[in-house]
Each structure stands twice: as C-alpha cells, then as structure tokens.
Amino acid sequence: MDSFLIRGGSRLKGRIEISGSKNSALPIMAACLMAEGRTTLKGVPRLSDIDSMNKLLGELGCHIFRHEPGTLTSGGMGPSLNGPLDITVTDEHNCEARYDIVKTMRASICVLGPLLAKRKRAVVSIPGGCAIGDRPVDLHVRGLQKLGATFHTEGGNIVGEVNGRLKGCRMYLGGAQGPTVLGTINVMSAAALAEGETTIVGAACEPEVSDCANMLNKMGAKITGHGTPEIRIEGVERLVGVEHRVIPDRIETGTFIMAAAITNGELELKHCNLDHLLAVEDRLQEVGVKITRENGTIYVSSSRRLQPIEMTTQPYPGFPTDLQAQLMALLCLADGISVITERIFPDRFLHVGELNRMGARIRKEGPTAIIQGVKELNGAPVMASDLRASAALVMAAMVAKGTTRIDRVYHIDRGYEKIEQKLMSVGADIERVSETGRTSVTVAA
Ligand code: EPZ
C-alpha cells in the first residue's frame, strides 16, 4: 500500500485543472446500461472507483474504450486530462454485480435501477458499511418496489425482479437523514423506462442528480424538476446512446479552495462551477477566505488569520458532508473555537483522531466536533481512513511543521485524480512512497 510523504511549509501558488466529477460519472456510467448502442462520456476522471465501475460494466456486457487525451471534439472546453470514455452495451444476459466489486465501491448500487428497468432482473451484493458509517440501501429498494419491482435477499445479495414493465407512480423517497442522492438517481433512472408518469417527492437536489437527468433526457427520457425536491419522469419505450460531458467535481474544487486557504496561498482553479458551492463559499467567506470567479475559473486567496465558525452539514444546497473533514482541517488553525455538526453521516469523524495526532485540539460530542484553534500543527505518521478524511490529512500535512507520512493513500486514489501531481505543480512538497519504500516518480501535471 502506498503512502504520501509531505513536508509542510509550502504556500500553494499557481493553477490547477479541476477534473470531472467522480460522483456524477459513477451513476451516469451505470445509467448507460439502459441505452441502446454507444454512449461517449467526456470529463470522466481516471480513478480507482471509475476502474471498478468499468470492471462491473464489463461483466454486465458492456464494451468499454478510453480514447487518448487530446481527442476532444467539443471545442477544447473542459479538462483535457483524459480522453472520452465509450460505453457500448453488447450483451444483456448477465445481471449480477458481484460482492468483490461492490465491497470496494458502494456506488455499484447504481446499477440496480438500470438493470431492473432494462433487463427486468438485478442481483447486487448488499453494500457493507464503510469508514463513514452504515450505508443502508432501504430507500433504493423501497422506491423501486413502488415502481413494481419485487425483492428478496439471497446469500448477501439483493435480488430484484420485474414482471413485465415497471409502472410509474407518485412516491415519497426521503429518509431519516434527508434525501438519498444515489437512491434518487436509481429510482429516476428506472422510472425513465417505466410505463406512465412517476413523481419523486423528497428527491435529492444535488448537481449530480441533475447531470444524470440531463444525460438521460439527451438519450430520449422525459425528466423535469431535477435539481428540485420534486422530480417528474414520463416513461418512454427506449433510450439511445449519446455524447455527454460530466460536470466538474465540486468536492475536488472545494478541497483545493481550502488547501489554498490553509497554506495561505493563491490558487487559480480552472473548469469548475462555483454555483455548485454557494454554501461552501458562504461559510469560507466568514472564515476569511477570498473567492472570486471569472467564467469557469475560481481565484482563491485568504487572510492571514482565519476566523472560527459554526457549520452543520446539510443535503444540497447546504454545506456538503464530503467537505466536512477538509473544513475541519482548515479550522484547526482558526483564531478561536469552531463547531462542526455532521447531520448526514453522524459517525464521519475518523479524521479527528488523526488531526489530533498532528497537534490539533478537537473534541467529539456525538455528531458534533468542537475545534479549538491552535497556532501550528506538527508533522506525524497518520493513517487515511476514507476518501475525504485523507484529503483533510493532506491539507494539514502541507501546513504542519516537519514531515507527515500518510499511510493507506489508496483511499485518496478513489476520488482525487493525480492529486500529488496537481499539488506538486503548485509548490507542495509531496511524494508517493510505495510499500517497498521506493519513491515512485511522479511528474508534475
Ligand atoms: C452520495 O452517496 C455520495 N457518493 C457520497 O459521497 C455523499 O457523501 C452522499 O451522497 C451524501 O451527499 C456518490 O455519489 C458515489 P445518500 P449516497 O444516499 O447516495 C441515508 C464521497 O466521499 N440513506 O445521499 O450513498 C444514508 O445513511 C462519498 O465521495 C438511508 O438511510 O448517500 C445517509 O445518512 C461518500 N437509506 C443519508 O441517507 C438509503 O437507502 C444520505 O445518503 C440510502 C441512504
């Protein structure tokens, strides 16, 4: 397993190209199972989670082809880091998402709705828990049952079947912690091929839901209201493959904004959409982070002294839970006491212990963390636990005194494309060390 060695003290300065959104690409790739012919996706990042989804779709009868970078056909807009990804459905016999793929990537659950709608059967291993807490799928199942699917569990799998064609209906899909992002996408995707009209009340409003709806509409679906808590879908008979560019990764964007702030640097982030981060901009302005924008570029700098704030994670358009750990790292150096409350995944605090090892002063009280700002952090050996906690540790390490070794960086490889190259290119002192202690050569992006 690889580690990062990071020497603190560099102020990040320069330009970073934001990649396409992992959390948009994954459900969009699954939705391609419903299209006849080839779909070409642009802006899909090269990440281990994307590799897992490619493997899963391959087992579900899809031919996957990644073009070389630089083969952009739409006027050079958007990240040129990677070439387009072609997904062509060639065989619809297999309907099973195996455990050893699902256990590494929870988003495999995204194939449930498309398989039921198109192939009338789906066998998906029940996703286990993960570092941020339980990851139930009861809302996915309940929503698809309301469309007429029947389910039973068998050997750790969810087995879903449809007799004939799914039938649209009006349903409520919210849960105790609010809407479900992937559950909304699963039900919306399945409803696109159902008979009649479906209305999802209590739908998730995340930009990733809208991005998938926009692609489905290009394929021939009739979806309206996406991005609001009430989505209406008029079922159609068939969907056909199209070209689509996934939206920029708002969580990567927010992570680099806070990385600039914690190092008191100045970054220019290209190909991103600040409209997807208004709640983050609101909170960070109160901290003293200066954010301006021009077209698709964000300019970030920060005042020397950071101010403490309160923040509670919320469903979109509120402050995203996926940026909670990164904000906590930033607030470790604020002038006073900050309070973070996690409403989406109340156990999502594994980064607290690791930040405290670096000299932070954070106390957990149930779903709330109290952060007493300190003057400085100190480098230490720490361990990554989940994708976003890993990013928080990288941020803290870049500003800590001395060297930090972060183990198990495979977590970060799941969701941050070329992160050490991007950070090196703006002045971070970071290197990837393999288990054998060899430093892998990483060329700046
Ligand atoms: C998506 O997960 C994201 N993953 C997560 O990002 C993100 O944290 C989450 O949305 C919330 O924004 C992808 O898009 C691949 P949910 P998802 O269903 O859809 C409860 C990252 O770091 N719930 O919106 O699985 C659930 O326990 C990842 O990139 C049920 O109770 O999350 C949670 O408390 C981590 N029953 C809340 O709803 C269900 O059937 C929101 O979960 C489903 C969810």
Side-chain angles (χ1 to χ4, degrees):
M1 285 186 270
D2 289 357
S3 302
F4 279 158
L5 271 185
I6 299 173
R7 291 163 199 83
S10 317
R11 292 180 59 196
L12 300 187
K13 284 175 83 70
R15 175 183 302 176
I16 288 179
E17 187 170 297
I18 295 298
S19 298
S21 164
K22 160 184 91 81
N23 288 354
S24 194
L26 291 171
I28 273 181
M29 290 167 73
C32 292
L33 287 166
M34 301 192 297
E36 294 166 17
R38 183 180 67 203
T39 298
T40 298
L41 299 176
K42 295 188 182 121
V44 177
R46 282 182 192 277
L47 299 166
S48 54
D49 270 10
I50 299 294
D51 295 342
S52 300
M53 185 57 83
N54 282 336
K55 187 175 172 194
L56 174 55
L57 294 179
E59 292 190 4
L60 293 173
C62 295
H63 177 258
I64 311 284
F65 177 72
R66 169 78 79 163
H67 295 270
E68 283 311 306
T71 54
L72 284 176
T73 54
S74 57
M77 275 300 289
S80 55
L81 283 174
N82 297 305
L85 184 71
D86 288 348
I87 298 175
T88 309
V89 182
T90 56
D91 179 332
E92 297 192 310
H93 288 95
N94 183 28
C95 300
E96 179 169 356
R98 288 184 301 110
Y99 174 64
D100 65 359
I101 294 184
V102 175
K103 74 181 177 191
T104 60
M105 185 189 60
R106 186 185 176 286
S108 308
I109 194 69
C110 294
V111 303
L112 185 61
L115 287 176
L116 286 172
K118 193 72 168 55
R119 304 185 188 181
K120 316 301 180 191
R121 178 175 161 80
V123 181
V124 180
S125 171
I126 298 170
C130 65
I132 64 178
D134 285 346
R135 304 299 297 274
V137 292
D138 56 308
L139 298 178
H140 298 242
V141 170
R142 208 148 72 228
L144 293 166
Q145 277 173 328
K146 289 172 184 171
L147 293 179
T150 57
F151 290 90
H152 65 276
T153 53
E154 200 176 288
N157 292 323
I158 302 167
V159 181
E161 284 161 334
V162 179
N163 183 9
R165 192 179 174 194
L166 292 171
K167 286 181 181 44
C169 71
R170 184 175 174 82
M171 72 172 76
Y172 174 71
L173 196 61
Q177 269 84 22
T180 164
V181 176
L182 294 184
T184 297
I185 295 175
N186 244 337
V187 173
M188 178 180 74
S189 301
L193 286 179
E195 184 185 333
E197 179 162 301
T198 298
T199 302
I200 304 173
V201 179
C205 304
E206 272 71 1
E208 293 76 29
V209 175
S210 298
D211 199 22
C212 189
N214 290 333
M215 182 191 72
L216 288 170
N217 282 340
K218 283 187 204 169
M219 291 177 159
K222 292 180 181 167
I223 302 170
T224 54
H226 39 290
T228 78
E230 187 160 324
I231 300 177
R232 277 174 304 291
I233 307 107
E234 192 183 321
V236 296
E237 298 281 336
R238 59 194 287 262
L239 298 172
V240 294
V242 293
E243 276 199 10
H244 183 76
R245 172 179 292 284
V246 302
I247 54 174
D249 194 314
R250 61 192 171 101
I251 304 303
E252 184 193 26
T253 305
T255 303
F256 283 126
I257 287 174
M258 289 190 260
I262 201 170
T263 61
N264 193 27
E266 286 175 30
L267 281 185
E268 199 181 306
L269 304 179
K270 293 193 68 62
H271 306 311
C272 41
N273 185 345
L274 192 57
D275 287 335
H276 293 162
L277 288 166
L278 295 181
V280 176
E281 182 185 28
D282 168 66
R283 295 286 76 214
L284 290 181
Q285 275 169 347
E286 204 177 319
V287 173
V289 182
K290 300 180 184 63
I291 303 171
T292 57
R293 66 167 107 175
E294 194 180 328
N295 301 328
T297 300
I298 290 178
Y299 302 88
V300 190
S301 59
S302 75
S303 52
R304 203 114 183 96
R305 299 305 308 159
L306 302 171
Q307 298 310 310
I309 60 165
E310 295 201 15
M311 185 282 287
T312 298
T313 61
Q314 306 274 358
Y316 193 86
F319 194 102
T321 173
D322 293 349
L323 285 172
Q324 178 258 105
Q326 299 91 316
L327 179 67
M328 187 181 290
L330 181 62
L331 294 175
C332 288
L333 295 169
D335 247 354
I337 296 175
S338 299
V339 180
I340 287 181
T341 301
E342 174 57 68
R343 286 256 182 275
I344 310 297
F345 295 109
D347 297 330
R348 192 174 198 170
F349 284 127
L350 285 178
H351 41 286
V352 167
E354 300 307 300
L355 289 169
N356 283 343
R357 283 177 49 75
M358 299 177 72
R361 290 177 61 190
I362 309 167
R363 186 164 47 84
K364 231 172 72 61
E365 298 274 343
T368 296
I370 295 111
I371 304 108
Q372 164 72 52
V374 294
K375 287 275 176 282
E376 66 183 13
L377 295 173
N378 305 299
V382 290
M383 189 161 352
S385 56
D386 81 84
L387 171 53
R388 308 305 175 183
S390 319
L393 295 176
V394 169
M395 285 171 56
M398 288 191 296
V399 74
K401 268 183 72 179
T403 300
T404 298
R405 180 188 181 95
I406 304 177
D407 290 330
R408 301 189 178 179
V409 292
Y410 62 83
H411 288 292
I412 212 161
D413 293 334
R414 292 187 50 201
Y416 287 92
E417 184 174 43
K418 300 181 190 255
I419 189 164
E420 70 262 37
Q421 292 92 328
K422 290 186 180 184
L423 289 173
M424 278 169 63
S425 73
V426 291
D429 186 342
I430 177 172
E431 62 178 316
R432 180 182 290 259
V433 179
S434 69
E435 218 161 5
T436 54
R438 252 197 346 273
T439 300
S440 54
V441 177
T442 48
V443 179

